[in-house]
Amino acid sequence: MTATPDTARPRTILLVEDQARTRQWLAGILLKAFPDCEIAACGTLSDAFGRLAAFRDRENRPPPWLAVIDINLPDGSGIELLREITACWPDTLPLVATMYDDDAHLMEAIAAGAKGYLLKGDEAEVLQGYLRRAANGEPAMSPSIAHRILAHFRETAEQTVPASSLRHQQPLSPRETDVLSLLGKGFTVAEAAQRLGLSPQTVSTYVRTIYSKLSISNRAQATLEARRRGL
């Protein structure tokens, strides 16, 4: 039986990086993370726009399912490409891979539609893990970037959370404090359980107790509370 054009072709990843050696390095990371994909590599912004136009013009050829984009390109900013993909290619998952870890580039990329922000200074194995998480619908961010976003969110929240609500929180046990600390560092329940030598069910119970004692209802609030306590 002959496969249809859609199923016969592997999924495509658009990689936009102007430095040839870095582009080759990133391509290797992408292929290790997604060995069933093919890479459409570009070195300039105009080349990337041309690749997208070519996908649009080809029949039975879906657009790239993933785009990994550098910000600083010789003929413009990758932010322009992020905006184009967000507006015209909703089925493409756009991620940033850059050396910039400052707030200005980060916030601009997120505003343009980036679903992840990775730093090229991270280890290859770490980047592979973030890429796989992104493919599963999880936010993909290098740790320092996640900390920046949390710090921004904390500053905003601290201006709106009344101090009186903090005084009514019940004290946590040492084990509950351990769990809160791991939540604040971004660990999942399963990862926290492994770190503490407990079952995921036990850690889930601790999480529910923590939420009840602190009068919170989600991971973002738990992370803020962990940071407020210096955990």
Side-chain angles (χ1 to χ4, degrees):
M1 178 177 179
T2 303
T4 63
D6 283 341
T7 58
R9 296 188 179 98
R11 295 183 299 176
T12 302
I13 298 173
L14 178 67
L15 172 59
V16 188
E17 164 61 49
D18 63 312
Q19 298 296 323
R21 298 181 75 176
T22 305
R23 188 166 61 244
Q24 184 178 11
W25 178 71
L26 287 172
I29 291 173
L30 287 164
L31 288 175
K32 284 186 178 179
F34 311 112
D36 61 333
C37 292
E38 64 179 21
I39 307 295
C42 308
T44 65
L45 188 64
S46 59
D47 190 11
F49 276 117
R51 290 292 185 100
L52 286 179
F55 277 103
R56 181 186 288 115
D57 295 338
R58 294 179 190 173
E59 294 184 3
N60 299 319
R61 181 67 169 179
W65 76 279
L66 176 66
V68 179
I69 304 166
D70 190 13
I71 291 179
N72 187 23
L73 298 168
D75 56 342
S77 171
I79 298 296
E80 298 177 45
L81 189 61
L82 282 171
R83 294 193 182 105
E84 175 77 6
I85 289 173
T86 301
C88 303
W89 305 87
D91 293 331
T92 299
L93 177 64
L95 307 177
V96 166
T98 182
M99 295 299 295
Y100 295 116
D101 64 350
D102 59 283
D103 289 350
H105 285 95
L106 170 62
M107 297 307 173
E108 188 178 20
I110 292 175
K115 298 298 190 297
Y117 198 101
L118 306 177
L119 296 178
K120 288 183 282 190
D122 288 338
E123 296 292 332
E125 293 78 9
V126 173
L127 289 173
Q128 289 173 34
Y130 292 138
L131 288 165
R132 293 190 184 103
R133 289 184 184 181
N136 290 327
E138 301 177 36
M141 293 188 180
S142 294
S144 62
I145 298 303
H147 289 319
R148 282 185 178 277
I149 292 177
L150 289 172
H152 176 78
F153 184 63
R154 182 183 70 248
E155 291 170 3
T156 303
E158 286 176 346
Q159 296 173 5
T160 59
V161 176
S164 59
S165 67
L166 301 178
R167 291 195 294 268
H168 296 297
Q169 293 177 349
Q170 300 179 48
L172 301 181
S173 70
R175 181 59 85 186
E176 289 163 355
T177 301
D178 291 339
V179 172
L180 179 62
S181 175
L182 293 175
L183 293 180
K185 294 173 182 176
F187 286 91
T188 65
V189 168
E191 291 168 341
Q194 187 175 14
R195 281 291 186 106
L196 297 172
L198 303 172
S199 70
Q201 292 80 7
T202 299
V203 173
S204 293
T205 300
Y206 279 125
V207 171
R208 288 194 295 271
T209 303
I210 291 168
Y211 283 11
S212 176
K213 284 186 174 183
L214 302 183
S215 299
I216 59 178
S217 59
N218 56 56
R219 286 290 294 270
Q221 292 173 330
T223 300
L224 287 173
E225 181 61 24
R227 287 187 166 277
R228 189 184 70 80
R229 293 171 178 243
L231 302 176

